[in-house]
Amino acid sequence: MNLRIRREGDGVVARLTGGRTLEYADAERIKDELAQAFSGSRRRVVDLSEVEFLDSAGVGVLVSVFKNARASGASAAFAGLQPSVRAVLALIRLDSLFDVYPDAESALAGGAPPAAP
Amino acid sequence: MHEAEETGSVAGGIEEVEVSDARTGRERGQRPDTDAADLVELFRIHDVALDLIAHSDDEEALLDRVLDEYERRLDELPSGTFTDGGGKHRPEAASKVRALVMFATQAAALREKAAASRAMAERTRQLEEANRKLAAALADAQTARTRLESVSAAIGSAVIISRSDGSIEPLNASGRELAGEVRGDVDGRLPASFDSVARNSDGEVSCLGTSGQGRRFLVVRRDLPEGEGAEVVLATDVTRRYRETEERHRLEKLSEVMRTLSVLSHKINNPLTALLGRAQILASQVSDDPNVVKAASVIAESATRIAGLVREVALVAREGREEAIERMLVMDPPHGGAGRAGGEAE
């Protein structure tokens, strides 16, 4: 799994591509690359539209993004969640902690995230 | 990850899992039973809860703490917990997942509370800023008021604020003196005579003090900008100057009268002398006609009496005895003065 980075103003969108599952094998590397990509940005968006499955390590990547953003005074948002990914986040109640948007554009624009369906 | 460890047999019990890391038992090839694992987890959660309570004044720190715990639980989860079986996790991971749920719920609540605290802090900051500005404005206003009072005190004139409802506020000692001295202020209002001066204009008015003495004021009325109908009234006591002016006018008039009398007596005296002389000649030349002699005598006596009056008037005019002149002449009383109460403007 790889990252595709897009910058807009002080915002950065990181799209996870090249694989369906964010799991232990890629987690540490993706975590580091995301930290590097998001460094200095105020608005951080993780586009998960190509991710179909998350294991606990994958969830850890998202939590890491959220924590790093908090530590930097930035905001983190998660966009394009597939139903299975959304189900995992709902299972462990991360959907109530994270700002989740239907797509990267609305996540980058900010504003109140829409209510979970 | 830990999948191989999860397949080990259950051997534990509460004594075996009293160590803080339940993974220790798994690393020995043993697997704690679910109840013991739940109990350990419960104690750990209890410790965390106590820690949270200890730091409950800092939601951000609490949130960081909860997220740290969350990450630890994620690390401890068996691999494939979320991916195997379409998202269904294994029973042995249930306690960890419950902890994740709990911490995520706490984290969400703390995040909301932290946002509310930040909003409150921002409102507090704005309020403090507003308070600082208000305090500065009040200090400026106090400075301006002190300066105004100093200036007002230095002004000899009475300075009074008159409001649209008729109430007044003296701004200096002269104003308070006026408010306490001049009749018409018994209900805290300006003397009625002041109304004869139109707003935004000047004029002189007379009124009576409480002692009954007439007083004269130069009144200046000016509307206050944004004063909602209020105006500032400057009243300068010109009683002394007014009386001096009145006296000067009276003396000038008296002097003119005296000058007229002097001229008049001189001009009367000459023909009167001629008249008296001719009457005496007439009496001596026609002494055989008693009627003529009597008529000449009456003329002479009358002329003599007139001459005496003229001399008396001339004497008074020279000496300036105004009382005598006033008795002799019909004159208007002195204009204005203390007895002229009531307050018409001039």
Side-chain angles (χ1 to χ4, degrees):
Chain A
M1 180 155 277
N2 297 308
L3 290 182
R4 187 179 301 161
I5 305 300
R6 177 163 60 98
R7 301 180 187 277
E8 284 194 25
D10 60 353
V12 172
V13 177
R15 183 169 185 169
L16 294 166
T17 61
R20 296 190 310 150
T21 305
L22 178 59
E23 57 187 354
Y24 179 78
D26 297 322
E28 286 305 315
R29 179 179 56 82
I30 293 294
K31 196 183 290 185
D32 291 342
E33 290 179 3
L34 281 172
Q36 188 174 356
F38 284 143
S39 177
S41 64
R42 304 291 300 169
R43 182 70 173 162
R44 305 174 181 187
V45 177
V46 179
D47 186 345
L48 296 164
S49 55
E50 295 184 23
V51 177
E52 294 183 9
F53 296 105
L54 285 176
D55 71 356
S56 59
V59 173
V61 170
L62 306 188
V63 173
S64 173
V65 169
F66 182 80
K67 286 184 64 179
N68 287 341
R70 272 180 45 75
S72 304
S75 63
F78 303 91
L81 273 61
Q82 303 265 7
S84 56
V85 173
R86 185 180 293 275
V88 169
L89 295 187
L91 174 70
I92 51 178
R93 301 294 188 273
L94 279 181
D95 58 342
S96 63
L97 177 63
F98 290 169
D99 291 336
V100 177
Y101 293 83
D103 53 60
E105 297 308 317
S106 57
L108 200 56
Chain B
M1 292 183 42
H2 310 302
E3 193 168 3
E5 301 164 358
E6 298 295 338
T7 57
S9 61
V10 176
I14 187 68
E15 292 80 5
E16 188 173 341
V17 296
E18 275 180 346
V19 291
S20 60
D21 189 349
R23 199 180 303 175
T24 305
R26 294 197 297 273
E27 286 169 351
R28 288 200 301 264
Q30 299 167 335
R31 179 177 174 183
D33 61 44
T34 303
D35 290 342
D38 281 346
L39 193 56
V40 170
E41 188 59 39
L42 185 62
F43 278 114
R44 293 177 67 185
I45 293 170
H46 177 66
D47 290 341
V48 172
L50 290 178
D51 196 21
L52 294 180
I53 292 171
H55 298 88
S56 61
D57 57 339
D58 186 346
E59 293 89 1
E60 299 287 355
L62 288 175
L63 181 51
D64 289 339
R65 182 79 172 85
V66 170
L67 289 173
D68 288 344
E69 290 299 323
Y70 197 96
E71 280 192 311
R72 287 197 189 93
R73 298 309 185 283
L74 277 176
D75 288 343
E76 293 168 4
L77 275 178
S79 178
T81 296
F82 302 130
T83 52
D84 291 353
K88 294 179 182 176
H89 56 272
R90 300 173 184 177
E92 60 267 27
S95 63
K96 305 294 183 189
V97 172
R98 280 198 292 272
L100 287 177
V101 169
M102 183 187 67
F103 285 127
T105 304
Q106 290 177 354
L110 283 168
R111 189 186 180 206
E112 187 176 345
K113 188 178 178 185
S117 295
R118 282 195 300 274
M120 179 64 76
E122 175 61 17
R123 282 196 294 273
T124 302
R125 189 195 64 75
Q126 291 173 350
L127 191 60
E128 289 173 348
E129 178 66 19
N131 280 338
R132 275 194 294 275
K133 289 180 179 176
L134 182 60
L138 285 174
D140 289 346
Q142 184 60 41
T143 301
R145 182 183 180 87
T146 302
R147 187 177 298 127
L148 177 62
E149 288 175 348
S150 300
V151 171
S152 297
I155 295 175
S157 303
V159 184
I160 297 173
I161 300 296
S162 176
R163 301 188 186 88
S164 57
D165 62 359
S167 62
I168 61 173
E169 178 187 357
L171 293 187
N172 61 356
S174 298
R176 288 186 286 276
E177 181 189 4
L178 176 67
E181 168 67 16
V182 178
R183 284 182 182 172
D185 70 318
V186 289
D187 54 354
R189 295 172 187 276
L190 287 172
S193 58
F194 279 36
D195 291 339
S196 60
V197 178
R199 293 178 74 107
N200 288 314
S201 63
D202 310 342
E204 281 196 21
V205 298
S206 295
C207 52
L208 288 177
T210 52
S211 61
Q213 292 290 322
R215 294 178 71 178
R216 188 78 175 173
F217 290 97
L218 171 62
V219 176
V220 177
R221 298 178 64 173
R222 294 290 183 273
D223 286 345
L224 286 174
E226 302 176 2
E228 297 180 349
E231 61 175 337
V232 60
V233 178
L234 271 70
T236 306
D237 191 337
V238 294
T239 305
R240 181 176 175 183
R241 190 206 68 191
Y242 179 74
R243 285 178 181 163
E244 289 174 351
T245 303
E246 289 291 291
E247 180 66 9
R248 188 173 66 250
H249 288 164
R250 196 179 66 83
L251 291 176
E252 287 173 357
K253 186 175 181 181
L254 187 62
S255 176
E256 182 65 24
V257 169
M258 289 175 181
R259 196 160 44 248
T260 302
L261 286 177
S262 179
V263 171
L264 197 59
S265 63
H266 181 70
K267 289 187 178 299
I268 289 175
N269 206 38
N270 288 337
L272 198 58
T273 303
L275 182 65
L276 183 58
R278 293 299 182 273
Q280 290 171 346
I281 293 170
L282 186 62
S284 63
Q285 289 179 350
V286 288
S287 56
D288 53 340
D289 186 343
N291 290 331
V292 173
V293 171
K294 186 177 181 182
S297 176
V298 169
I299 292 171
E301 287 176 6
S302 297
T304 300
R305 196 161 64 240
I306 291 171
L309 283 173
V310 168
R311 277 195 303 275
E312 188 176 345
V313 167
L315 181 63
V316 168
R318 274 198 303 275
E319 294 178 353
R321 290 161 56 195
E322 59 184 278
E323 298 86 356
I325 294 174
E326 286 174 356
R327 277 199 306 273
M328 291 169 59
L329 303 173
V330 178
M331 296 176 62
D332 290 333
H335 178 63
R340 209 168 145 253
E344 78 277 22
E346 295 184 351

